[in-house]
Amino acid sequence: MTETLTIRRPDDWHLHLRDGEMLKLVAPYTARQFKRAIVMPNLVPPVTTIAAAAAYRERIRAAVGPDSDFEPLMTAYLTDTIDPDEVAKGFEDGVFTACKLYPAGATTNSDSGVTDIRKIDAVLARMAEIGMPLLVHGEVVSADIDIFDREKVFLERILGPTLDRFPDLKVVLEHITTADSVEFVKAGGSKIAATITAHHLRIDRNDMLVGGIRPHMYCLPVAKRRQHKEALREIVTTGDPKFFLGTDSAPHERHAKESACGCAGIFSAPVALESYAETFEELDCLEKLEGFASEHGPRFYGLPLNEDTVTLERSGLDVPAAIDSGRADLTPFHAGERLSWRLRS
Ligand code: NCD
Ligand code: ZN
């Protein structure tokens, strides 16, 4: 049995770091595991300008400290009225790596999101022209669409037609949760890819709802039925380069999760690589972890691969039930469980 696993240092292609005290608490967990991360812009107010992104990047760098070489990759939050020139200039200046599309009302802090994708045609045209990736929260928000169908309907109604109108646009379908999305991305051309979270590879809706409602398993897009989880697990075993790591680690204080109206988001940053390793080992494809975690993402984004490595060892990791620093009380993914792998510090 393999006792250690050394892979090229990975990156996280979808991450929520928040701000203020929460940022100071959570950023070091990611910086310990990953060299780079695509940082989501859904702050209050959202990150819609170059100045806001540059200032946020400085706060992130301060939060991880001067000894860390962690590199935050910033995103612009698309609104109905965002200026295409600002977006393009931010990309050309190296402040924005990509733009994030939140359909208005789809998830946490998405109220300022896009109300109709056609309203941002000018931005999308510009992004396609300059090769700037569009990162998509792929869920429709119509009240008449069941929450478990929202991703599939988004593909049919929004993403498919948008890709037809902008065939050159580079798109990452974020945190996919369905067999439909796996098929959609596989069938698409070389300009579309997808991220897969550690939790969607492990949980289905039963884990959230059977035997009691488990708020720490609740995130968006919500975990679906088992066959969809199986489709995600299956695609990572193939080593298909269109699929790569994005944790969507999304911390909320425990009281905001354990509430009559609990927030969506799973805080996986402290155990992300260990969780992926656990899954890949279960699937008997540990040799595919490096491509998924460290190579497919940068190749899709057109960024250099990291040159250094990280080592996981099979010494076991007891995940704490709570991470309560005084700054915030958080419940991590895998809280209270024992995982087989541990990232060597
Ligand atoms: C994210 C958050 O809390 O910011 N929540 C989540 O459940 N994933 C937003 C998002 O990515 O949808
Ligand atoms: Zn997210």
Side-chain angles (χ1 to χ4, degrees):
M1 211 192 258
T2 328
E3 292 308 316
T4 63
L5 177 66
T6 296
I7 60 170
R8 188 186 293 279
R9 192 159 162 210
D11 305 298
D12 184 351
W13 300 97
H14 182 124
L15 174 69
H16 300 270
L17 283 176
R18 314 304 190 202
D19 213 340
E21 291 301 298
M22 182 76 99
L23 167 64
K24 290 178 194 155
L25 172 61
V26 302
Y29 288 106
T30 291
R32 187 178 165 260
Q33 297 222 337
F34 299 103
K35 171 72 168 74
R36 296 169 287 196
I38 288 274
V39 180
M40 290 297 125
N42 62 332
L43 304 183
V44 186
V47 178
T48 54
T49 63
I50 301 168
Y56 186 29
R57 187 166 63 182
E58 285 316 305
R59 295 197 296 281
I60 297 167
R61 287 185 178 143
V64 298
D67 296 338
S68 172
D69 64 352
F70 175 69
E71 207 182 317
L73 303 176
M74 310 311 290
T75 55
Y77 183 117
L78 295 175
T79 65
D80 286 352
T81 55
I82 195 163
D83 178 4
D85 289 338
E86 178 81 0
V87 166
K89 182 168 187 312
F91 184 62
E92 280 147 17
D93 290 353
V95 178
F96 293 139
T97 298
C99 286
K100 179 66 191 277
L101 169 68
Y102 289 107
T107 188
T108 311
N109 300 338
S110 63
D111 298 350
S112 314
V114 173
T115 59
D116 177 348
I117 188 125
R118 290 196 171 256
K119 291 196 173 162
I120 57 163
D121 272 3
V123 185
L124 298 182
R126 194 69 173 278
M127 290 170 66
E129 208 180 289
I130 62 178
M132 183 178 192
L134 175 73
L135 315 183
V136 178
H137 184 108
E139 288 190 287
V140 292
V141 293
S142 332
D144 60 319
I145 306 296
D146 188 277
I147 190 163
F148 292 101
D149 298 332
R150 287 181 171 196
E151 187 173 290
K152 178 176 171 21
V153 173
F154 183 88
L155 303 176
E156 297 159 4
R157 289 194 191 167
I158 315 284
L159 192 55
T162 303
L163 298 182
D164 291 342
R165 288 187 294 126
F166 299 100
D168 292 332
L169 188 62
K170 222 172 174 178
V171 172
V172 183
L173 187 54
E174 300 289 354
H175 43 49
I176 59 169
T177 63
T178 59
D180 310 281
S181 288
V182 171
E183 288 313 312
F184 186 95
V185 170
K186 265 168 57 180
S190 62
K191 303 251 171 189
I192 182 156
T195 53
I196 305 182
T197 72
H199 48 276
H200 288 116
L201 287 169
R202 303 194 65 79
I203 63 172
D204 56 46
R205 61 195 194 180
N206 278 16
D207 296 295
M208 181 176 59
L209 294 171
V210 171
I213 187 161
R214 291 166 212 280
H216 299 291
M217 300 291 182
Y218 173 59
C219 63
L220 286 170
V222 72
K224 307 296 190 297
R225 59 169 66 241
R226 184 185 198 128
Q227 80 196 52
H228 292 294
K229 178 183 74 181
E230 295 304 334
L232 302 178
R233 290 169 72 95
E234 166 62 27
I235 194 65
V236 302
T237 66
T238 67
D240 188 325
K242 288 177 146 192
F243 298 85
F244 45 84
L245 185 156
T247 64
D248 194 20
S249 178
H252 292 275
E253 288 246 42
R254 189 158 72 92
H255 65 79
K257 299 275 307 163
E258 298 175 8
S259 150
C261 184
C263 293
I266 294 180
F267 177 47
S268 57
V271 293
L273 260 190
E274 287 93 340
S275 179
Y276 283 111
E278 190 93 4
T279 300
F280 278 64
E281 180 159 58
E282 279 169 17
L283 297 171
D284 203 14
C285 68
L286 265 180
E287 79 285 357
K288 295 289 190 329
L289 183 63
E290 182 170 42
F292 177 81
S294 317
E295 294 173 354
H296 303 166
R299 284 198 183 115
F300 185 80
Y301 274 83
L303 293 170
L305 303 191
N306 298 324
E307 288 303 330
D308 45 349
T309 59
V310 295
T311 297
L312 289 150
E313 51 194 26
R314 193 193 294 285
S315 52
L317 175 67
D318 290 311
V319 184
I323 292 181
D324 186 355
S325 70
R327 285 201 152 109
D329 179 5
L330 300 175
T331 303
F333 187 42
H334 292 288
E337 290 174 28
R338 185 173 177 83
L339 295 173
S340 316
W341 294 93
R342 172 199 288 269
L343 182 65
R344 194 180 277 170
S345 46

